[in-house]
Every structure is written in C-alpha cells, then in structure tokens.
Amino acid sequence: MSEDESDCGGGDDWLLDDASEGNEFIHFDEYEDAVAAIELVASQSIDLQKRPSQWKWVITAMQNAVQGAMVIALSGTDGCGALTDKSRRQNRVWLDNPTSDRPRTMMADYNVLLERIGKPELMEGPVPELSAEDYRNLQRLNDNLRRQFAHFHPTGWGIELNYMLNIMPIALNLFEFLTTTQGRPNIHFTEEHRARMTKALAQARVSFEEFKQTP
C-alpha cells in the first residue's frame, strides 16, 4: 500500500479491493484500526469470569487501542506528530521539499506518546487530566501486561485481578477522551466509527463493572 505523499502517514479505509483482476488487497488505516481494537476489548470482556484466559486479548487489544488513539491525536495536520523526534524532523524537511528519496517514518514508542499527550503545544484540543497514578497505570498496561503477553515464555504467570481492573477504566477513559476531543479524530472518524466506539466502550465498562461486583 503506497503512502499518501501529502503527509507523514495516510492510507485508505480498511476494505477489500478487487479492482485488479485476480488480485485482492485488504487496506487498513489508523481510524478503523482504533475502532477495531476497542471493539475487540468489548467482545473479549464479556463473561471474563467464565473465560479468564481471554484477559490476554483484552489487555493486548486495550494497549493497541490506547496507542492508536494517541497516534491519531498527536499526528497533526502533517501526520508527523507521533513519529520519533529524528523521523519527525526528517519528514518535515522532506515535506517542505519532496524528492524521490523519502525518509522512513518511524513511530515513537508508547511511553513517548504517553508523555507527549500531556503537552498542550502538541495537541489539537485539551490535554487529558491524568494523575501520577493514572500515568503509572497506563505505563503498566504497556510495560508490565501487554509486553509480557507479547513476549510470553513457557512459564506460569499470575496477575492480580484488581491490578488489571484498576487499569482498564483509566485506559477506556483515555481512549474515549483522545478520540472525541482532538482536531484530527473529530475530522476523520465517521459517524459509523463513532457509533461503534460508543457501543464498544459501553459494553466494556459494563463488563468490567460486573466483574468487580462478582463475589
């Protein structure tokens, strides 16, 4: 899939393209990816009491949803705001004078993005009001939970239930905030996207609250 030369990122919606005879392509973009991630959180959170192994997919999808929301919120009009510092500088120079030798686009890592969303000059809307403990919980989602599942070694591993239940509401709230209050998401999310996210967020919140109240 070719990149949109008007900015640092870009792409088509997630769709099946059969325009070329005999060839089919599935296209993705950052908006559908974020929606799909939060829908996966919602679908896998149902009946977690009966299916505790599904926590793996809840955690993986939640981290993906938060990271995707941060990327969308930070990208800005030139699409470069979520890149590493070096990649951002190189690509903005290239955008001012495009050539055939385009620099690679390297995305900043999760914790760098988490730091950036607290800086008003980098956002196209209000910054999220996060406490020090909120930041720690959002870091734990990536560093302690998602990373352990992504690089899982054959071993036994126990996670305190309240540890995960304390993280999930903060992550859901941040996802909702970033996808509803910033300039770029407000422009590019469709009404269908918004309806799907609203439904998924409501389902996930109900599921986690029910889990807390289960004796």
Side-chain angles (χ1 to χ4, degrees):
M1 183 174 64
S2 64
E3 289 182 319
D4 181 348
E5 294 189 355
S6 65
D7 57 31
C8 289
D12 295 322
D13 285 340
W14 190 355
L15 51 85
L16 186 65
D17 182 358
D18 58 359
S20 301
E21 185 176 354
N23 292 310
E24 292 183 342
F25 300 89
I26 298 176
H27 297 278
F28 302 85
D29 73 9
E30 61 268 42
Y31 303 100
E32 178 63 30
D33 186 70
V35 176
I38 203 64
E39 286 182 323
L40 185 58
V41 172
S43 66
Q44 296 306 305
S45 67
I46 297 171
D47 290 334
L48 270 172
Q49 299 94 326
K50 299 176 183 177
R51 305 179 302 154
S53 63
Q54 296 304 107
W55 271 109
K56 173 178 180 176
W57 307 115
V58 171
I59 289 165
T60 302
M62 191 73 259
Q63 188 273 351
N64 185 266
V66 171
Q67 182 160 331
M70 293 192 294
V71 168
I72 292 169
L74 287 163
S75 288
T77 55
D78 65 4
C80 297
L83 303 182
T84 64
D85 291 339
K86 180 179 179 181
S87 182
R88 183 169 49 181
R89 287 193 301 269
Q90 291 176 338
N91 277 276
R92 283 175 173 165
V93 168
W94 182 87
L95 287 171
D96 288 336
N97 185 26
T99 67
S100 59
D101 186 21
R102 181 173 184 172
R104 292 181 63 191
T105 54
M106 301 292 294
M107 197 64 59
D109 70 26
Y110 177 99
N111 286 327
V112 171
L113 299 174
L114 187 57
E115 179 184 356
R116 287 183 187 174
I117 61 170
K119 298 179 178 180
E121 67 272 19
L122 300 180
M123 301 288 278
E124 295 181 324
V127 299
E129 295 182 2
L130 298 170
S131 68
E133 183 62 18
D134 290 340
Y135 272 108
R136 282 192 291 271
N137 275 321
L138 290 164
Q139 289 171 336
R140 288 164 181 153
L141 173 63
N142 179 69
D143 298 348
N144 299 353
L145 294 178
R146 179 265 175 189
R147 191 166 292 167
Q148 181 72 15
F149 280 124
H151 306 286
F152 191 78
H153 298 285
T155 184
W157 180 39
I159 314 172
E160 185 182 357
L161 181 59
N162 285 337
Y163 182 81
M164 295 185 289
L165 290 173
N166 287 338
I167 291 172
M168 292 300 127
I170 298 164
L172 291 171
N173 290 345
L174 180 61
F175 177 89
E176 183 175 33
F177 181 89
L178 294 175
T179 55
T180 58
T181 64
Q182 305 300 310
R184 198 163 186 251
N186 283 335
I187 293 172
H188 292 285
F189 277 123
T190 67
E191 289 304 312
E192 180 199 8
H193 284 147
R194 296 179 194 283
R196 289 164 58 195
M197 288 189 290
T198 298
K199 181 179 178 181
L201 286 163
Q203 175 60 68
R205 285 174 172 137
V206 167
S207 295
F208 295 135
E209 189 59 33
E210 288 178 348
F211 207 128
K212 283 184 178 181
Q213 295 174 4
T214 301

